[in-house]
Amino acid sequence: MPEPEYDLVVIGAGVVGSALAREFTLRGRSVALVDARSDVGDATSKANTAILHTGFDATPGTTESRLVARGYRLLSDYAAKAGIPVEPLGALLVAWDDEQLAALPGLAEKAAANGYHETRLLDPAELARREPHLGPGALGALEVPGESIICPWTTTLAFATEAVRHGGELLLGHTVTGAEPGVDHTVLHTDRGPVRARCVVNAAGLGSDHVHAMFGHESFTITPRRGQLIVFDKLARSLVNHILLPVPTKMGKGVLVSPTVYGNVMLGPTAEDLTDRSATESTEDGLAMLREKGNRIVPALLREEVTTIYAGLRAATEFGDYQISFHPDQRYVCVGGIRSTGLTSSLAIAEYVGAELAGWPGEAMPGPRADVVPPQMPYLGQVDVRPAEDAELIAKDPAYGEIVCFCERVSRGEIRDALHSEIAPSTVEGLRRRTRAGMGRCQGFYCGAAVSRMVDEGADAPVKAEAAK
């Protein structure tokens, strides 16, 4: 039988690609979300600083500045409806020398140019009251009260789940190897067979320039920018009250100290331009640099236990803006060069691309449905009550009181639910991003065998567990 043809194929199941797939399915189109990995959000989207940005420091007038500001509002509203953990802690840009202190008023003006008017300058005394564990020598700070921390894993999964619920098809493990654009459709060649589409949207992240070249375009080049991070134990959480940011440089937002919605404290990232698009290892030099920076920002943090370290790659380009381009003659859209702000801007990017495609000749794409209720996602945050602490929930289903991962208090009921979800994990790492199992102090040393067995058994695991009782 001939292969199916989709209205749209989105290449890349990160947070931006998943948001695009969601947008198109809500507009009533047949959609396939294609990714080489075995899970959604398994590349750049899983390893970032997890900040919901106001866009205060974006370059005014750029596509990024507009979409980050819009995305901040859209994602804040969506997260509240879908149960995605968000904590509006606010950020402090700390000045450590006279040059940085002199730059703060300009950053406030930049924020105002981006439509954000809530910044405020803090003197050293107020800064010390707000952050008593800050290192000595801070000269002042710029407060950005709207900056928040968010769960990036749940965000990507929520978008992809909503796309699947409304008819989207998830084609994981499909590496795109070539494209044949035609008059009416494009044939994408993958290592698991061809995929036909009336329109292709490239959201391939680190590979977006390669996909762009498949359509004959070479307008940008991806340079993977590695960010290494250190995650400290939950006992360090009381040391930090805000997201502590440095004064930005051309290389990015610099090294920050920030709480996470999971109750830890994070230090990083580095900003290393590489050539290897798979170089997600941590390095001795990178970690030493982070410890040096962290020792100045919050010295007491360096005396706390380290829970884990990780590194992610951002899709940087030679340009200072997103590389979003439309090619109606090929029925092709490129959404490339989406850097660290992509989590925040994801829904705005999808809205922008959807509106543009609706105006293409012959497309007649309706507006997104307004009556859709987002999926209720499992709560992974630390502030609200989690299932293993919910006596009423446990009374209804004792599986939520059976702890499997003691470091993170993850129950068998939560693991069971994840294994039965619409986009079920196929690996232990995928389960970790859905439940927090294995991401605590012992990094799976005690629960690893049980968790691995449940993942291997998949949907049969809860049935066998009940039968054994």
Side-chain angles (χ1 to χ4, degrees):
M1 295 181 63
E3 64 271 10
E5 180 172 312
Y6 302 92
D7 292 330
L8 295 115
V9 168
V10 179
I11 303 173
V15 68
V16 173
S18 296
L20 286 160
R22 169 189 174 273
E23 176 78 15
F24 300 142
T25 58
L26 294 185
R27 287 175 176 265
R29 315 310 283 175
S30 62
V31 178
L33 182 58
V34 177
D35 199 284
R37 304 265 188 156
S38 62
D39 198 5
V40 300
D42 197 39
T44 298
S45 297
K46 74 179 179 184
N48 54 44
T49 51
I51 302 227
L52 181 58
H53 293 290
T54 58
F56 77 96
D57 61 345
T59 301
T62 60
T63 300
E64 181 179 21
S65 68
R66 175 171 58 85
L67 294 179
V68 170
R70 172 66 174 160
Y72 174 80
R73 296 190 293 271
L74 291 175
L75 185 50
S76 297
D77 180 64
Y78 184 89
K81 295 176 180 176
I84 297 170
V86 173
E87 293 183 47
L89 302 179
L92 301 177
L93 280 81
V94 181
W96 297 95
D97 57 40
D98 290 335
E99 183 179 356
Q100 293 178 4
L101 184 65
L104 296 183
L107 287 169
E109 293 174 2
K110 189 177 188 179
N114 285 315
Y116 189 81
H117 302 278
E118 285 73 43
T119 61
R120 188 168 69 92
L121 293 170
L122 306 184
D123 61 26
E126 183 173 358
L127 177 58
R129 287 195 299 271
R130 300 279 289 275
E131 288 291 347
H133 297 284
L134 203 64
L139 302 180
L142 180 69
E143 180 185 14
V144 188
E147 296 282 295
S148 305
I149 55 176
I150 188 172
C151 176
W153 305 332
T154 311
T155 303
T156 304
L157 186 62
F159 295 161
T161 297
E162 194 165 7
V164 169
R165 282 189 180 179
H166 291 90
E169 187 168 353
L170 192 57
L171 302 180
L172 298 174
H174 285 65
T175 302
V176 176
T177 57
E180 291 184 41
V183 176
D184 299 319
H185 66 267
T186 292
V187 176
L188 290 177
H189 296 286
T190 80
D191 57 355
R192 296 179 65 176
V195 180
R196 292 165 59 94
R198 292 182 60 246
C199 180
V200 174
V201 181
N202 169 14
L206 292 166
S208 55
D209 57 340
H210 291 164
V211 173
H212 204 42
M214 294 176 188
F215 287 83
H217 307 288
E218 297 183 354
S219 56
F220 66 91
T221 300
I222 294 294
T223 298
R225 183 167 293 163
R226 180 168 60 194
Q228 302 181 49
L229 298 106
I230 302 174
V231 180
F232 290 89
D233 188 82
K234 291 177 174 58
L235 292 176
R237 178 61 184 85
S238 61
L239 297 175
V240 184
N241 299 321
H242 305 79
I243 304 164
L244 300 179
L245 299 174
V247 177
T249 70
K250 64 180 181 179
M251 287 298 291
K253 299 182 184 299
V255 174
L256 58 84
V257 173
S258 174
T260 74
V261 294
Y262 318 114
N264 304 89
V265 176
M266 182 170 55
L267 169 66
T270 59
E272 311 157 57
D273 284 347
L274 308 174
T275 56
D276 185 351
R277 303 188 187 211
S278 62
T280 56
E281 66 272 10
S282 299
T283 67
E284 183 177 354
D285 289 344
L287 297 177
M289 186 276 280
L290 291 180
R291 292 184 65 85
E292 179 184 356
K293 296 281 189 182
N295 191 51
R296 183 178 194 184
I297 303 168
V298 183
L301 184 63
L302 276 295
R303 298 193 290 270
E304 298 293 331
E305 296 289 337
V306 172
T307 295
T308 190
I309 58 176
Y310 69 95
L313 297 173
R314 288 105 80 186
T317 73
E318 63 270 46
F319 301 102
D321 200 359
Y322 293 166
Q323 296 301 294
I324 301 177
S325 58
F326 299 90
H327 307 272
D329 56 324
Q330 295 177 301
R331 307 194 68 78
Y332 164 70
V333 180
C334 178
V335 183
I338 310 299
R339 300 170 298 175
S340 58
T341 54
L343 171 61
T344 300
S345 62
S346 53
L347 286 176
I349 292 172
E351 180 185 69
Y352 169 48
V353 173
E356 178 70 22
L357 289 183
W360 281 12
E363 190 60 44
M365 184 155 48
R369 292 175 53 185
D371 60 340
V372 175
V373 177
Q376 282 299 301
M377 304 304 295
Y379 180 72
L380 298 192
Q382 192 75 4
V383 174
D384 292 337
V385 176
R386 303 206 38 236
E389 304 166 322
D390 189 333
E392 184 177 345
L393 181 63
I394 294 170
K396 294 178 181 177
D397 187 343
Y400 292 111
E402 297 180 30
I403 302 298
V404 176
C405 171
F406 285 86
C407 294
E408 295 296 308
R409 300 294 191 267
V410 181
S411 67
R412 184 171 66 83
E414 293 168 85
I415 296 175
R416 175 202 62 199
D417 293 347
L419 293 171
H420 278 86
S421 63
E422 286 146 300
I423 305 177
S426 60
T427 64
V428 170
E429 184 182 353
L431 182 65
R432 181 184 301 124
R433 294 197 295 271
R434 289 161 173 81
T435 64
R436 286 174 42 177
M439 66 174 276
R441 292 189 181 105
C442 81
Q443 289 292 288
F445 181 84
Y446 289 102
C447 67
V451 170
S452 295
R453 182 171 62 252
M454 294 180 76
V455 171
D456 290 342
E457 293 173 347
D460 291 334
V463 175
K464 292 181 179 180
E466 289 293 346
K469 290 183 66 177

